[in-house]
Amino acid sequence: MKTIYFISPFCNLIKCFTSVSILDRAEKKKIVKYEYYNLFDFSDDSNNRIDDYPYGGGDGMVLRANPIFNAFDKIKNNRSKKKFRVIYPTPDGEKLDLNLSKKLALEDNIVFICGHYKGIDQRVRDTIVTDEISIGDYILTGGELPSCIIIDSIVRLIPGVLNTIESAETDSFNDGLLDTDYYTRPDTIRGLKVPEVLVSGNHKEIKKWREERKVEKTKLKRSDLYINYIKNKKK
């Protein structure tokens, strides 16, 4: 069983996300286990503070190193001799993509450190963080939502979580293209009809249509992906 740990001052926010849908199903199937470590439980400050002013001055606050170190020590002591991938979601990290999610899906123990305010003490990043990951060029209030996004992208790729892994294998980006268009019943609604090829029963033609639609869609909506696709196709 894989274990995913969250170090955060707002664990309930993460629990709301992991307790529903695919993430919850993964835990109920005993494929993945989630553990939560509230930073306030690991503060060494008499006022139970987990943040402080940055050295050198400036606006904003920084999450203190000791509560994070203490929480991580607790995780290590409970799981001796285990190797951990420690992820810190941050705007200056590696951009999340499908290939990175696939690599992380192979890991057995992943720790997420959820930052807040101006971030976390750099000494944490320098010593225990193994992966710094960005979900995009924008700023959020804290690291809980980015952690949930990263987790969702990882867990669905673990064998046994989805009913059919083939579903994930045909998603966008697997072959460098966006996914095709999809329709379901009824075949006509408000005068709008499903493309005839999809109801023809001709699986060869349906496959051809889907592949062509993926290329067309990628060319129209993601020219960067399309250019790479054409380059790789010529190799």
Side-chain angles (χ1 to χ4, degrees), residues 126-166:
D126 291 340
T127 55
I128 65 174
V129 170
T130 62
D131 299 84
E132 297 182 342
I133 300 176
S134 169
I135 62 167
D137 297 337
Y138 50 89
I139 304 298
L140 297 175
T141 304
E144 287 78 18
L145 291 179
S147 294
C148 289
I149 289 173
I150 298 168
I151 278 300
D152 191 273
S153 75
I154 293 171
V155 170
R156 64 191 308 276
L157 298 175
I158 301 173
V161 173
L162 297 179
N163 290 331
T164 57
I165 193 62
E166 289 78 13

Side-chain angles (χ1 to χ4, degrees), residues 2-22:
K2 300 178 184 292
T3 307
I4 299 171
Y5 311 83
F6 299 94
I7 298 175
S8 164
F10 303 107
C11 292
N12 285 338
L13 179 59
I14 303 170
K15 289 179 182 179
C16 289
F17 191 75
T18 56
S19 63
V20 295
S21 191
I22 297 297

